[in-house]
Every structure is written in structure tokens, then in C-alpha cells.
Amino acid sequence: MTDARLIDGKAFAAEVRGRIAVEVAGLARDHGLVPGLAVVLVGEDPASQVYVRSKGVQTREAGMASFEHRLPADTDAATLHALVTRLNADPMVHGILVQLPLPDHLDAQQVIALIDPDKDVDGLHVVNAGRLAAGLPALVPCTPLGCMMLLEHELGADLSGRRALVLGRSSLVGRPVAQLLVHANATVTIAHSRTRDLAEECRRADILVAAIGRPQMIPGDWIRPGAVVIDVGINRVDAGEGKTRLVGDVDFASAVKVAGAITPVPGGVGPMTIACLLQNTLTAARRQAGLA
Ligand code: NDP
């Protein structure tokens, strides 16, 4: 049996960003509209700082306006809430993203609830979650959107007749992915930490989306031959000699021998997340300007 096709998220994300840049240039030319994304970072979490920096760079590269708000770790809730309220009212800002996790003394749900749902480009506000669940137009969380773009690229937009298993039920990844798969007509099962026979559930799936945060937990012999595997997991493991490396939730070395197509980690779903953030910002700007 030949190895699975690699789904190159890095190359595909670059294509998506290129297409977005063309659309952004068209909006500026035809309507004088420059989509703006505000990112709020509280504290000095090193991983968050890296994400926020790349978000800023890629936003500007796409021709959009990037507004970064960096607040000290001891910022109180009232100050953060006042900033979000100000951004809600700012006509230059079409998308607002509050980088998570927040320091322990701040309640993420409370902050997300304050974001205008039309500017909620992370898709985490209950209004957007509800709209997605109801099959209405919504701002959809970026990583699930990225998973669906990769699947659509691989299999086409209509997944009728395909069995999909989503591993994980978080509101950030598992649940929205499952809903998007249902909207694409797949037959969907959601598995989680209380699922009894995970191996059997996996073996039935034509499409496997793994989002559990458990390094290399899914071995190749749980995968149905020819299945399309989307590995969302990002786990840092010891690589010896004091170094670390990133691995997914799927054991890539054995899975690549069985699957029909598979995303690598890194370079699979990860790069799609920021591309989809830009897509959501563009969508939000168009809707707010009455152009969608
Ligand atoms: P959460 O911790 O919020 O959710 C994990 C889910 O996996 C839960 O539903 C949990 O079940 C389930 N789970 C945990 N252990 C097991 C197990 N042993 N067997 C079956 N199910 C299990 O994680 P997230 O959804 O936020 O993230 C998942 C992974 O995706 C992480 O590795 C994260 O780093 C990565 N990620 C990657 C992104 C990207 O850009 N590529 C973006 C966001 C996340 P239960 O509900 O029962 O507890």
C-alpha cells in the first residue's frame, strides 16, 4: 500500500491569504473600505505573543488594518471590558479577537459575551455558536473553518454518504467542526473522554478529525484504510538533548501508511487558523458595510 497523500496546509493557507488579499484590494478600490482587525493581548504568555505577532503580520500583508492592544498581566476586568466596548463602537474595527488564555483573574466567557457578535471573528460568542447550531450565517471559529476548507479541497463541498468521526467536543474545535460536517451532509459521530470503544469508532470513519490534545494517541491501526485524517492536535513533546518538537493527536508514522490523505503536524491545520481569521475579518467587514 502506498503512503497517504499529505494535505499541505501551509501551501493551501498561503493560497487562501493570496485570494483574501485580492478581495481586500478590490474592497478598497471599489468601496474605500479597509477591513480592520483588533487583537487584544493581556499579559506576557510567550505562545500568545508569538500568535499575536503573526496575526498582525499576516493581517497587514493581506492589506487590512491591524490594531494591537497589549495590556499588562494585572489589568482589571473593568479596564478590559472598557476596551472591548470601545472597539465595538469603533467603525475602523470590523473584527475583535481577545487572545486566550487570559490571566486567571479574568473571566474569558464574560469578555467574549461583551464582544459585538458581528465583530466576533473568533466565532466564540454564544450568538455565533447558536447561529451555527441553527444553520444560520455565523462567524465560525477559525480552526474548524480551516479543517473544513482542507476537507473541501480534498473531497469537495458535499460530504453526503461519508461517515465522519470528530474526536473532542470543545466549543473551540470539536463541536463547531461536527456542526460544519453535518451542514456538509456527512454522517457525524462525536467522541470524547467518556466514549467507550474509541478504536472501533475510529475504524468506522471515512473522515477522522482529531482534536483532543493527547500526543500521538491515535495509532495507524485505528484508522480505516483510505480515510482522510485531519489532525488538529498541537502537542509539544520531548525530543531528547533538551529539545522539544510538535506532534499531533495522531501517530503520524503509522497513520500515513493506512490513511488516504493526512495533515502533518506542524504544517497542516495550524497555518489555516490565521488564514481563516483573515477570512472572518473580511466577511465581517463586508457584512457591516452591507456588501455581503
Ligand atoms: P480541549 O482540552 O478543550 O478539549 C479536548 C477534548 O478532547 C475534550 O472534548 C475531551 O473530552 C477530549 N479528550 C481528551 N482526552 C481524551 C481521550 N483520552 N479520549 C477521547 N477524548 C479525549 O482542547 P481543544 O479542543 O481546545 O484543543 C484540542 C487540540 O487541538 C489541542 O492539542 C490544541 O492544542 C489543538 N488546537 C489546535 C489549533 C490549531 O490552530 N491547529 C487551534 C485550537 C486547538 P471531554 O469533553 O470528555 O473532556
Side-chain angles (χ1 to χ4, degrees), residues 157-196:
D158 188 1
L159 303 177
S160 301
R162 313 251 187 193
R163 282 206 186 106
L165 178 73
V166 179
L167 268 166
R169 56 176 165 179
S170 72
S171 48
L172 185 62
V173 189
R175 270 168 219 263
V177 166
Q179 278 157 350
L180 290 168
L181 285 163
V182 170
H183 297 329
N185 300 322
T187 302
V188 182
T189 303
I190 303 178
H192 43 76
S193 67
R194 308 295 177 90
T195 298
R196 277 218 186 114

Side-chain angles (χ1 to χ4, degrees), residues 90-173:
D90 186 340
M92 307 285 280
V93 171
H94 303 95
I96 301 170
L97 181 148
V98 176
Q99 185 67 43
L100 301 178
L102 289 172
D104 288 344
H105 67 282
L106 295 168
D107 179 342
Q109 286 310 323
Q110 234 178 34
V111 181
I112 291 165
L114 275 180
I115 298 175
D116 177 345
D118 292 340
K119 295 191 177 186
D120 167 41
V121 282
D122 238 357
L124 296 177
H125 194 290
V126 287
V127 166
N128 281 312
R131 292 181 72 87
L132 175 62
L136 297 169
L139 287 167
V140 175
C142 302
T143 302
L145 201 56
C147 293
M148 292 308 291
M149 280 190 186
L150 292 176
L151 276 173
E152 186 173 333
H153 189 61
E154 198 58 37
L155 298 172
D158 188 1
L159 303 177
S160 301
R162 313 251 187 193
R163 282 206 186 106
L165 178 73
V166 179
L167 268 166
R169 56 176 165 179
S170 72
S171 48
L172 185 62
V173 189

Side-chain angles (χ1 to χ4, degrees), residues 143 168-170 173 192-193 211-214 217 232-235 270 273:
T143 302
R169 56 176 165 179
S170 72
V173 189
H192 43 76
S193 67
I212 51 179
R214 299 278 178 266
M217 201 189 93
V232 184
I234 301 182
N235 309 289
T273 299

Side-chain angles (χ1 to χ4, degrees), residues 273-288:
T273 299
I274 299 186
C276 289
L277 174 66
L278 303 182
Q279 176 65 63
N280 275 351
T281 305
L282 176 60
T283 303
R286 277 213 190 99
R287 286 189 189 149
Q288 285 161 49

